[in-house]
Amino acid sequence: YGVVHDFPSGFFVGGSSLPGLNGLYCKVEIDHSLPHLTRHAYLNEDSSWTLNFVEAAGEEGHRYAAVGGKSTEWVFVDDEGHDRFGHAGEKVLPGAGRRWSHVHHKRP
């Protein structure tokens, strides 16, 4: 087995019934237009979906209840800018499959 200490350069997602979710996500510059205080961002260039590691307990106007009740969260954002799935944060790698939850965060 191995130990991961740093955020990866990318992720591969497969097996979803949502075609836009599947594919390769590569690390990109942070998009500050998102309504999240984003620490790490990954883009699926084929679908424009993003996978973001965000601060749920961020600055005023960026706070919300994150999946798992942690201060950080992994969030899939679709090509229209809507949060679709969340996973408890505080780890450099998110879990797989059923560890993700449907989310509909309220915007500040």
Side-chain angles (χ1 to χ4, degrees), residues 77-88:
V77 178
D78 68 19
D79 57 339
E80 295 179 3
H82 300 109
D83 295 358
R84 298 294 296 271
F85 300 97
H87 185 284

Side-chain angles (χ1 to χ4, degrees), residues 15 29 42 54 57 60 83 91:
E29 292 292 320
Y42 301 85
V54 303
E60 191 63 42
D83 295 358
K91 297 195 182 274

Side-chain angles (χ1 to χ4, degrees), residues 11-80:
F11 293 95
F12 177 77
V13 177
S16 173
S17 62
L18 300 172
L21 181 62
N22 295 320
L24 183 62
Y25 289 77
C26 297
K27 194 163 193 173
V28 294
E29 292 292 320
I30 295 171
D31 179 357
H32 295 287
S33 70
L34 293 173
H36 299 295
L37 186 55
T38 304
R39 296 296 180 207
H40 298 275
Y42 301 85
L43 173 67
N44 179 333
E45 290 185 1
D46 292 331
S47 68
S48 296
W49 279 52
T50 60
L51 172 58
N52 304 288
F53 185 77
V54 303
E55 294 279 340
E59 301 169 356
E60 191 63 42
H62 289 276
R63 295 183 183 138
Y64 64 91
V67 170
K70 305 287 185 186
S71 64
T72 58
E73 178 181 46
W74 286 96
V75 181
F76 277 106
V77 178
D78 68 19
D79 57 339
E80 295 179 3

